[in-house]
Amino acid sequence: MNKFRTDFLFIPHSYYNDTSLLLQHKYVYESDYATTCVSLNLLSGERYQNRVKLDFPNPFKDQFQILYSGSITGIFFLQSINSSEDIVLWNPTTNEFKVLPYSSIYSVRPYGHFMPIIFGYDPVNDDYKIIRKAHYPREIACYPVWEIYSLRRNLWRKIDIDCPYCFWDNNGLYMDGICHWLYHCFDNGEYYLVSFYLSNEVYIKTFIPLDIIFEDKDKYVVARRLLMLNGSVACFTGYEYHDKTTFHISILGEIGVKESWTKLFVIELGPKLFPTGVGMNGEKFFQNLDHELVYFNLCTQMKVELGCVERMSDSTEVINYKKNLHSFEN
């Protein structure tokens, strides 16, 4: 296991070639707590001390946020902080953006909200797609609907699948033409990884053992997320107990094979730390209650405090970004 961990962390992965780190955080105005804005910064330097603010494309400014980003493809999926239906695709490399059309579900009022919403690239059809499920309020006599957006066709269409959907925010992950999310079945209490293939629009469920997802009624769970770690799907679970925050990191060897989950790391850090993203070379980022950004390097086992991100920060996300010359006009 020690050799496996070392090889896993230290062997360079092509995912991180020519990538940069971006820091996104939402914050509220001191004078108006009902107004939320988003700030985006490019991180650089040995201790990420250099931060250059990036502007979202006009006319959206800071009223949009990067959500379930396909940033490893080089294109960001922006969603309005005021409406789940207002969606924009943005390529920072070319500074081009595309406003997505409304789907037919938008005409059904009230139509509820959409979950999960995950953006990714379909390498088989050379297309960028978004997969989501319309979740209607219980009082609306209408069946939930899955739909998919195709950038090549520039339209939404319904798809006939009965797929488990995600109950938590920030649990979407895109990798290699597949969108993943976590699903908790309340009927039997079991957890699953749902993997949706963008090319043929089928999905596979992978059972997650409780020792991986770490279900412990006596401990307070502060995180349960999916992350990409060195080209693998990683389940990241954190809990707080006796003023200590402990994180379990497990990777999946093969989709659909529950026995292929491997718990690689158990990290014990200080209290009140919340995961914000994963960088290159085994760097895991956190934010504490003082709005300070902290990263822990899995290779060196060193924790480094990077300082305050911004006052009144509501949530923080560290994002890997890879340049892409794709043009929306083609």
Side-chain angles (χ1 to χ4, degrees):
M1 280 301 297
N2 286 335
K3 184 180 186 304
F4 182 81
R5 291 188 189 98
T6 301
D7 291 343
F8 181 81
L9 289 176
F10 285 92
I11 295 178
H13 199 285
S14 59
Y15 268 112
Y16 302 117
N17 294 343
D18 302 321
T19 58
S20 304
L21 288 182
L22 300 179
L23 175 67
Q24 175 187 242
H25 61 268
K26 292 188 293 184
Y27 62 96
V28 296
Y29 289 118
E30 292 186 35
S31 58
D32 181 6
Y33 286 91
T35 303
T36 303
C37 292
V38 177
S39 177
L40 186 65
N41 292 269
L42 176 66
L43 299 179
S44 63
E46 196 172 307
R47 293 170 57 92
Y48 303 107
Q49 69 276 14
N50 303 322
R51 300 175 190 178
V52 178
K53 185 175 182 180
L54 302 181
D55 293 325
F56 287 105
N58 285 326
F60 312 110
K61 298 188 183 297
D62 56 1
Q63 296 302 306
F64 278 69
Q65 62 180 323
I66 299 171
L67 187 64
Y68 299 127
S69 126
S71 56
I72 202 66
T73 68
I75 295 178
F76 288 129
F77 167 34
L78 307 182
Q79 185 182 47
S80 170
I81 58 179
N82 299 313
S83 170
S84 63
E85 184 64 14
D86 292 330
I87 299 173
V88 176
L89 295 181
W90 174 41
N91 187 340
T93 304
T94 62
N95 203 29
E96 291 182 331
F97 66 88
K98 182 176 183 61
V99 180
L100 270 60
Y102 289 164
S103 72
S104 59
I105 297 178
Y106 185 72
S107 61
V108 181
R109 299 298 187 101
Y111 57 85
H113 58 286
F114 297 98
M115 56 167 43
I117 308 177
I118 307 178
F119 169 68
Y121 175 67
D122 174 3
V124 176
N125 300 294
D126 188 24
D127 196 3
Y128 292 89
K129 296 180 178 179
I130 297 172
I131 174 70
R132 70 183 183 182
K133 183 175 184 178
H135 185 70
Y136 293 92
R138 290 183 178 180
E139 62 271 15
I140 303 299
C142 188
Y143 293 104
V145 174
W146 281 95
E147 59 179 3
I148 194 168
Y149 169 81
S150 164
L151 176 61
R152 182 178 287 274
R153 298 182 180 182
N154 192 32
L155 55 81
W156 292 94
R157 60 181 175 84
K158 298 177 183 178
I159 52 178
D160 186 20
I161 59 172
D162 184 19
C163 184
Y165 59 95
C166 177
F167 286 94
W168 309 288
D169 292 334
N170 298 321
N171 264 313
L173 173 68
Y174 164 79
M175 274 184 56
D176 299 328
I178 308 172
C179 293
H180 307 272
W181 60 86
L182 291 175
Y183 171 70
H184 181 205
C185 180
F186 290 106
D187 292 338
N188 57 21
E190 295 180 339
Y191 290 87
Y192 298 90
L193 173 75
V194 181
S195 303
F196 182 88
Y197 291 74
L198 291 174
S199 58
N200 55 11
E201 299 175 6
V202 299
Y203 72 92
I204 295 177
K205 290 195 306 181
T206 306
F207 176 77
I208 307 176
L210 287 183
D211 65 317
I212 298 297
I213 203 72
F214 203 77
E215 183 75 2
D216 193 323
K217 304 297 184 182
D218 297 328
K219 297 179 176 63
Y220 176 68
V221 176
V222 297
R224 188 176 280 128
R225 297 185 58 180
L226 289 177
L227 297 168
M228 183 186 72
L229 187 61
N230 283 17
S232 296
V233 175
C235 182
F236 190 88
T237 306
Y239 68 92
E240 192 174 86
Y241 187 67
H242 287 173
D243 295 327
K244 291 182 180 180
T245 308
T246 303
F247 296 95
H248 295 231
I249 302 177
S250 304
I251 62 169
L252 178 65
E254 183 179 350
I255 294 175
V257 181
K258 65 180 182 180
E259 294 83 6
S260 66
W261 286 103
T262 303
K263 184 176 291 186
L264 280 187
F265 305 99
V266 177
I267 308 168
E268 190 171 281
L269 300 174
K272 306 294 183 183
L273 286 175
F274 303 93
T276 61
V278 62
M280 299 163 282
N281 302 320
E283 296 166 333
K284 188 69 191 72
F285 288 84
F286 304 87
Q287 182 181 356
N288 61 25
L289 290 180
D290 295 325
H291 308 298
E292 292 177 334
L293 191 65
V294 178
Y295 88 81
F296 181 84
N297 192 307
L298 292 172
C299 297
T300 63
Q301 298 290 298
M302 295 291 292
K303 183 179 75 170
V304 180
E305 295 182 355
L306 303 178
C308 188
V309 290
E310 189 163 336
R311 289 190 64 195
M312 306 303 295
S313 175
D314 177 55
S315 64
T316 302
E317 192 78 16
V318 174
I319 303 165
N320 275 295
Y321 168 67
K322 184 186 290 287
K323 291 184 178 181
N324 187 334
L325 296 178
H326 176 86
S327 174
F328 296 127
E329 297 180 358
N330 294 337

